[in-house]
Amino acid sequence: MARTFWVGGNWKMNGSVAVIKDLVSKFNASDASSDVEVVLGAPYVYVPLLADSLRKDWAVAGENCYIKASGAYTGEISPEMLHDVGAKWVILGHSERRSILKESDEFTAEKVVKALEAGLKVVLCIGELLEEREAGITQTVVNRQLDAVIKTVKEADWANIVIAYEPVWAIGTGKVATPDQAQEVHAAIRKYLETVVSAKVAEQTRITYGGSVNSGNCKVLAQQPDVDGFLVGGASLKLEFIDIINANN
């Protein structure tokens, strides 16, 4: 089956009301391909603004969530709250959460389960550090990160999960995995899903690439057979994002 190309933006801790209003007006008027599923991830406080003003053929994501629906968890946001204010997706397992905030594979998997239960779709981020790539254990690391989720979700849940392979050494560094490097890991991820989940899940799950994606490198990456789209950082805060959305045209 043909997998619908998927492009997500991750604004991280960036933006303001003025910046978002200006950017949304430009995105809404753009000639972005209607054949691509587009999702924009924004800081919690801007999710309602984005959900209310963004073009309706695009969706909004939260950038993280907690594992409880409510309670005495000061500063946390539940997936139910994200859903309540208009988010349809949530980004989980990003390397900045794993490395800076020390979130484990198991904690990430627990978040995935709770988010799905709350009716959100999930962008599951996985990827290796530079020293792990140099040690030749990229696939071991990626499989370990996947295993935590595979153990906790049902096979049917994979219809609501997009995998974002983001080599940590390429995030925000200007370094990009070569098309061959990206394809190699994406193909291995798909093969692993086939082995440990099912052939159907392997075939249908979209595996996207993230890591300094921009208008200059997106087209050649998009040509790889197992690259089903992108999770975009800094470039998603610019009109350049439209070029990335249209990379597969």
Side-chain angles (χ1 to χ4, degrees), residues 16-73:
S16 67
V17 170
V19 166
I20 291 170
K21 285 182 176 179
D22 178 63
L23 196 56
V24 166
S25 70
K26 293 173 180 175
F27 284 165
N28 287 352
S30 73
D31 59 351
S33 173
S34 59
D35 296 327
V36 178
E37 185 171 4
V38 182
V39 178
L40 276 179
Y44 302 132
V45 293
Y46 298 128
V47 166
L49 170 63
L50 197 55
D52 287 342
S53 59
L54 189 65
R55 51 194 295 170
K56 299 310 174 188
D57 55 335
W58 293 14
V60 178
E63 296 179 2
N64 181 47
C65 69
Y66 194 55
I67 58 173
K68 300 289 185 180
S70 62
Y73 306 102

Side-chain angles (χ1 to χ4, degrees), residues 25 89 123 168 190:
S25 70
W89 291 76
V123 184
V168 180
R190 201 173 304 284

Side-chain angles (χ1 to χ4, degrees), residues 93-198:
H94 194 279
S95 64
E96 291 154 6
R97 305 291 312 180
R98 294 178 188 267
S99 61
I100 299 171
L101 297 166
K102 310 303 179 187
E103 295 186 355
S104 67
D105 299 337
E106 292 72 24
F107 188 44
T108 298
E110 194 171 358
K111 289 183 180 188
V112 170
V113 171
K114 297 301 182 183
L116 292 169
E117 288 176 350
L120 294 176
K121 296 182 179 181
V122 171
V123 184
L124 172 63
C125 300
I126 58 176
E128 82 283 7
L129 301 170
L130 179 59
E131 53 265 37
E132 292 168 335
R133 171 164 283 274
E134 290 176 341
I137 59 171
T138 291
Q139 209 56 46
T140 300
V141 172
V142 167
N143 290 355
R144 186 201 74 220
Q145 293 167 340
L146 284 171
D147 279 341
V149 175
I150 290 167
K151 292 173 184 175
T152 56
V153 302
K154 304 179 185 70
E155 182 174 337
D157 288 331
W158 287 96
N160 293 313
I161 298 172
V162 164
I163 294 172
Y165 166 63
E166 297 193 298
V168 180
W169 48 271
I171 299 173
T173 63
K175 298 179 180 178
V176 184
T178 67
D180 287 345
Q181 286 174 323
Q183 169 59 24
E184 179 183 18
V185 178
H186 282 227
I189 290 169
R190 201 173 304 284
K191 183 64 177 177
Y192 190 67
L193 289 175
E194 180 180 4
T195 301
V196 300
V197 185
S198 72

